[in-house]
Amino acid sequence: MKVLKDILYKVSLTSTMGDMEREVNGIVFDSRKVEAGSAFVAVAGTQVDGHEFIAAALEKGATVIVCEKLPEAIQEEITYVQVVDSAKALGIIASNFFDNPSEKIKVVAVTGTNGKTTTVTLLHQLFVAMGYSTGLLSTVENKINEVVIPATHTTPDAVSVQALLRKMVDQGCTHCFMEASSHAIVQERIAGLKLAGAVFTNITHDHLDYHGTFDEYIKAKKKLFDELSKDAFALVNGDDKRGMVMLQNCKAVHQTFALKSAADFKGKIISNTLEGLELEINNKLIWFRMIGAFNAYNLLGVLGVAVLLGEDEDEVLRMLSGIRGAKGRFDRIAIGGIIAIVDYAHTPDALDNVLKTINGVRNGNEQLITVVGCGGNRDKTKRPVMAKIAVSESTKAIFTSDNPRFEEPMDILRDMQAGIGPTDLRKTLTIEDRREAIKTAVMLSKKGDIILIAGKGHEDYQDIKGVKHHFDDAEVVTEILEQMTEN
């Protein structure tokens, strides 16, 4: 139980009505989850406005209503708290309710179009390997030490974030590494957090269905850095032209990492193969199990965070050289002389990076067959772009279903086909069924060939009409390759 006036500390209030000494036993923003004695925070979300469910929350036993607009019918026995911004208030109230856990653990947030999951996963693996009790909040999974908690969003809701951090603190965690998506930043899901630092990986065309314009997308990322305190650090990719934008008006300590330009954490690629990556960092040659220039950036970002958190650079590099990275990010499966690579690449830039990485280490005699789709109910403008990239960078491209959600798969595939010129049509196949598409890619391959299966990575499902059907790209391609080898 918490006293209401205490959990409102630092919240921008407009007015209050009722007993401010009232005890609160929970913070809720979904009226269906209200229990007797709860404080219901009415947040205007992307789909529904919580203000429309105040009456429902009261019926279920809420005794405190936090809102931007007071309801017309005021009940004397209820306490009403009018705030400037309900979404932001939710994060601050949740932080206070859970005794401000982010003040007791070093939390680092990573944002950017690509590389967030790999960066936070590497950081988690690194700090666990160095003996720290460490938390992780990512797209793939949430972890408290080695206990996995399934993830439903890139960044959980504000109450869940604070509850997870509280558990981490209670279980002795000293660090937490988390993804901060542009959606989560705008929706104030990380409000109330005290960050030890923030990392910017890169920014490319993505989520314009939500943000509307590229400028708004950039502003969403920048908001994370604008709100850092002066005792935090801001680490950005110096080779991305938006990196310096993130640092404008940022009070935190400014740091950069880069491969091409001068930086605080500078690297140079010496060799890049399908077996690994050799980098020169501060006159030291280090071999890593990971592949590609994009992973060189991820590794430099991880190094920067670790050093800024007080770790020894040589020890960090030694530990990083043995780490494999996140599931579904350039996962390499070699069976019967055929190499299959499963990767989460679901944006034009990510797909281009992965394909260019593969082409950079090919000998040119083998085929590169790309299996790719695009998600439904998401930014349609990237569909023809991704199709064009797949065709231009591959021997053959097979377009297939990804997560169609509530769209018809063939409508998505037709949008992709619109990006292909008549001369390239011969290099493409369109197979709606994803398993059949992967099977076809295997059947078209011979020893030495490479198959890229892009778009879903770590996901073990297909989202079709609101139902998640089990589907794991790595599992499927392994099964088909093994069957072919046996035959």
Side-chain angles (χ1 to χ4, degrees):
M1 287 280 197
K2 299 289 181 181
V3 176
L4 177 59
K5 68 175 185 180
D6 293 337
I7 63 173
L8 290 175
Y9 178 60
K10 292 185 179 180
V11 175
S12 296
L13 305 179
T14 302
S15 67
T16 62
M17 299 173 63
D19 183 8
M20 298 299 288
E21 299 287 341
R22 187 186 293 275
E23 289 192 333
V24 174
N25 67 7
I27 310 300
V28 184
F29 63 94
D30 182 341
S31 61
R32 295 168 296 184
K33 297 180 181 178
V34 169
E35 295 179 357
S38 297
F40 175 70
V41 184
V43 178
T46 53
Q47 304 295 326
V48 295
D49 186 347
H51 290 79
E52 296 174 7
F53 297 91
I54 290 175
L58 291 172
E59 283 181 17
K60 294 200 73 174
T63 52
V64 175
I65 299 296
V66 179
C67 55
E68 293 175 20
K69 299 172 291 185
L70 290 169
E72 292 182 8
I74 299 294
Q75 299 182 25
E76 284 187 16
E77 70 278 13
I78 303 300
T79 301
Y80 296 88
V81 179
Q82 190 177 12
V83 298
V84 175
D85 184 333
S86 291
K88 191 164 189 174
L90 177 64
I92 298 170
I93 290 170
S95 179
N96 289 331
F97 184 83
F98 289 105
D99 295 322
N100 301 298
S102 63
E103 295 180 5
K104 303 170 180 70
I105 184 173
K106 292 178 180 178
V107 181
V108 177
V110 179
T111 196
T113 306
N114 303 308
K116 294 187 297 294
T117 302
T118 297
T119 300
V120 296
T121 301
L122 285 171
L123 281 164
H124 180 264
Q125 292 175 349
L126 172 66
F127 274 72
V128 168
M130 290 193 301
Y132 291 101
S133 189
T134 310
L136 171 70
L137 299 177
S138 81
T139 309
V140 178
E141 59 192 4
N142 298 325
K143 278 187 173 183
I144 298 175
N145 294 318
E146 292 303 328
V147 179
V148 176
I149 303 164
T152 55
H153 295 86
T154 306
T155 313
D157 64 77
V159 179
S160 297
V161 167
Q162 297 295 341
L164 283 165
L165 286 173
R166 181 71 258 165
K167 287 182 181 178
M168 291 176 190
V169 171
D170 290 344
Q171 293 188 27
C173 291
T174 54
H175 298 76
C176 174
F177 302 105
M178 67 179 294
E179 293 185 50
S181 68
S182 55
H183 293 67
I185 296 167
V186 169
Q187 293 167 12
E188 300 287 5
R189 282 188 249 155
I190 55 175
L193 285 182
K194 176 177 172 54
L195 296 177
V199 182
F200 168 74
T201 59
N202 52 60
I203 197 163
T204 60
H205 186 109
D206 197 20
H207 298 309
L208 299 195
D209 54 321
Y210 179 81
H211 296 288
T213 67
F214 193 51
D215 281 345
E216 288 301 312
Y217 181 40
I218 293 168
K219 285 180 186 175
K221 300 292 188 189
K222 181 169 167 45
K223 185 176 187 294
L224 178 68
F225 294 87
D226 289 347
E227 295 177 355
L228 288 174
S229 62
K230 64 181 180 181
D231 58 346
F233 65 80
L235 176 64
V236 303
N237 180 349
D239 287 342
D240 188 298
K241 63 181 179 181
R242 310 291 179 183
M244 294 303 110
V245 173
M246 298 296 140
L247 297 179
Q248 291 172 5
N249 304 315
C250 172
K251 298 186 291 291
V253 176
H254 296 185
Q255 295 279 282
T256 58
F257 62 93
L259 290 172
K260 301 173 184 174
S261 52
D264 298 292
F265 299 95
K266 177 72 188 296
K268 179 182 178 183
I269 296 175
I270 303 301
S271 66
N272 182 18
T273 71
L274 283 173
E275 280 69 47
L277 184 67
E278 187 177 19
L279 297 181
E280 181 184 320
I281 301 173
N282 292 341
N283 299 316
K284 294 183 282 282
L285 291 179
I286 314 291
W287 187 86
F288 300 94
R289 293 173 180 266
M290 303 175 73
I291 302 162
F294 57 96
N295 273 325
Y297 282 107
N298 294 332
L299 288 161
L300 285 171
V302 170
L303 171 65
V305 170
V307 171
L308 289 167
L309 288 174
E311 301 306 314
D312 178 74
E313 182 177 295
D314 289 343
E315 178 64 8
V316 169
L317 289 172
R318 186 183 72 79
M319 301 296 281
L320 271 179
S321 67
I323 291 175
R324 292 186 178 276
K327 180 185 176 185
R329 270 63 176 179
F330 221 96
D331 278 354
R332 182 178 178 274
I333 300 161
I335 299 173
I338 295 171
I339 296 172
I341 294 167
V342 174
D343 193 89
Y344 189 53
H346 63 290
T347 66
D349 184 64
L351 182 63
D352 191 50
N353 279 340
V354 171
L355 284 167
K356 279 187 165 61
T357 296
I358 297 170
N359 280 319
V361 297
R362 287 174 63 197
N363 60 33
N365 297 320
E366 71 282 84
Q367 293 188 97
L368 170 54
I369 301 173
T370 298
V371 179
V372 64
C374 291
N377 303 109
R378 296 292 187 268
D379 185 2
K380 293 185 178 184
T381 62
K382 67 184 182 184
R383 294 173 184 173
V385 179
M386 288 183 67
K388 186 175 181 180
I389 290 168
V391 171
S392 64
E393 297 285 343
S394 311
T395 311
K396 184 171 284 294
I398 302 176
F399 303 146
T400 190
S401 183
D402 189 281
N403 288 321
R405 298 185 177 87
F406 291 96
E407 282 194 70
E408 291 301 321
M410 284 310 300
D411 290 343
I412 298 171
L413 292 170
R414 278 189 280 271
D415 287 343
M416 294 181 70
Q417 290 167 344
I420 308 305
T423 57
D424 284 330
L425 280 175
R426 61 182 179 78
K427 291 177 64 179
T428 71
L429 288 173
T430 299
I431 302 172
E432 181 181 335
D433 185 278
R434 193 171 181 90
R435 176 179 285 273
E436 284 302 311
I438 294 171
K439 184 177 180 180
T440 300
V442 172
M443 299 305 292
L444 290 172
S445 301
K446 59 184 184 299
K447 192 172 182 178
D449 288 347
I450 302 167
I451 301 169
L452 171 65
I453 306 170
K456 292 181 59 58
H458 65 279
E459 292 177 350
D460 61 0
Y461 62 85
Q462 270 194 296
D463 189 340
I464 304 170
K465 305 293 185 187
V467 179
K468 289 186 176 180
H469 303 267
H470 178 74
F471 196 98
D472 185 313
D473 283 349
E475 186 181 289
V476 170
V477 74
T478 298
E479 177 189 323
I480 294 169
L481 283 169
E482 286 177 345
Q483 287 175 352
M484 187 183 76
T485 303
E486 289 171 5
N487 297 334

